[in-house]
Amino acid sequence: MMLHRWKHCTLAILLILPLTACQQMLPKAQGLVNSQWTAQQYQRQDLVEVQWKAHSFSFLLYQQQQGQNLDFLALSLTGQQLFKLHFDGKQVTVEQRIEQMKLLPFDFLVRDILFATYPNFIAYPPENVLVNRSKQDHSLNIEDILIHQNKVLTIRHTQDHIELDNVQVPYQMVFSEVPNTLENNE
């Protein structure tokens, strides 16, 4: 009887260890957790255009923060929900995603979006993050984001949009802010 239980325990441990090891092997997005993360009311809507290798696509991105919690909702231009994410200042939780996005590294995506669009995230960067700023003229500001002294992002702020280049992957995103048409205009 004891031998039988021992075999079941050993089998359970052998099944759990590889799953735990796989989860630990997933890369973590350095530069995401920020000790300056604060509770606030925040809302932003963007049309996002993405270019990766020979692929390009667009989606609508809604960001809304209430207190410590920031939610991201991405919709295709036809209204299909692509993903829904939650960030509490420490970790990203995937609430929903379409099957084609199951391997997307959402921690990295959220980090890049925060650096490009979130107020003060770039002003008070996380530990081991350096922001090099340069101003080309009155309508163009460029920020290079270095994590552990390695350049990972270049962000260009213009009057009309924000361009983000991830130099590690590489991919490009262009954020064009959409006015909030859901507000009560009374």
Side-chain angles (χ1 to χ4, degrees):
M1 180 79 170
M2 279 298 270
L3 182 59
H4 184 66
R5 283 187 185 168
W6 185 82
K7 285 181 182 179
H8 283 289
C9 287
T10 303
L11 181 59
I13 290 170
L14 290 174
L15 290 174
I16 292 171
L17 281 177
L19 293 175
T20 306
C22 288
Q23 289 174 351
Q24 291 174 354
M25 287 175 28
L26 291 175
K28 297 291 181 193
Q30 295 177 340
L32 177 61
V33 177
N34 190 331
S35 63
Q36 299 294 321
W37 185 259
T38 58
Q40 65 176 336
Q41 297 294 326
Y42 169 69
Q43 193 172 37
R44 183 181 171 106
Q45 301 175 111
D46 288 285
L47 172 63
V48 181
E49 300 169 55
V50 179
Q51 180 71 41
W52 178 66
K53 295 185 179 181
H55 307 284
S56 63
F57 57 94
S58 300
F59 60 90
L60 296 171
L61 178 67
Y62 299 93
Q63 300 176 59
Q64 182 172 350
Q65 181 176 356
Q66 294 178 334
Q68 288 286 115
N69 302 312
L70 177 60
D71 293 309
F72 298 84
L73 175 65
L75 301 173
S76 72
L77 299 181
T78 60
Q80 177 189 13
Q81 186 170 316
L82 302 174
F83 60 82
K84 185 175 182 183
L85 310 173
H86 176 81
F87 181 64
D88 63 5
K90 295 182 179 128
Q91 71 178 30
V92 175
T93 305
V94 179
E95 294 182 8
Q96 291 179 311
R97 65 176 173 245
I98 61 172
E99 182 65 25
Q100 293 88 334
M101 295 188 167
K102 70 179 182 179
L103 298 177
L104 191 64
F106 285 110
D107 283 10
F108 291 88
L109 180 66
V110 167
R111 179 200 65 193
D112 294 355
I113 291 170
L114 289 173
F115 273 115
T117 66
Y118 189 81
N120 295 327
F121 194 81
I122 204 165
Y124 304 103
E127 204 174 302
N128 299 315
V129 174
L130 177 66
V131 179
N132 289 331
R133 292 179 175 87
S134 62
K135 189 170 190 162
Q136 301 299 315
D137 57 42
H138 68 280
S139 64
L140 177 63
N141 293 318
I142 300 174
E143 298 161 323
D144 289 323
I145 311 300
L146 289 83
I147 300 177
H148 295 289
Q149 301 176 353
N150 294 314
K151 183 176 172 182
V152 295
L153 300 172
T154 295
I155 302 170
R156 287 177 292 286
H157 294 267
T158 70
Q159 291 177 337
D160 300 332
H161 60 275
I162 300 169
E163 299 173 13
L164 179 146
D165 290 328
N166 184 309
V167 296
Q168 289 180 321
V169 174
Y171 71 87
Q172 294 80 36
M173 293 172 68
V174 176
F175 299 85
S176 301
E177 192 165 6
V178 176
N180 186 355
T181 56
L182 301 176
E183 287 184 10
N184 187 349
N185 291 328
E186 292 180 37

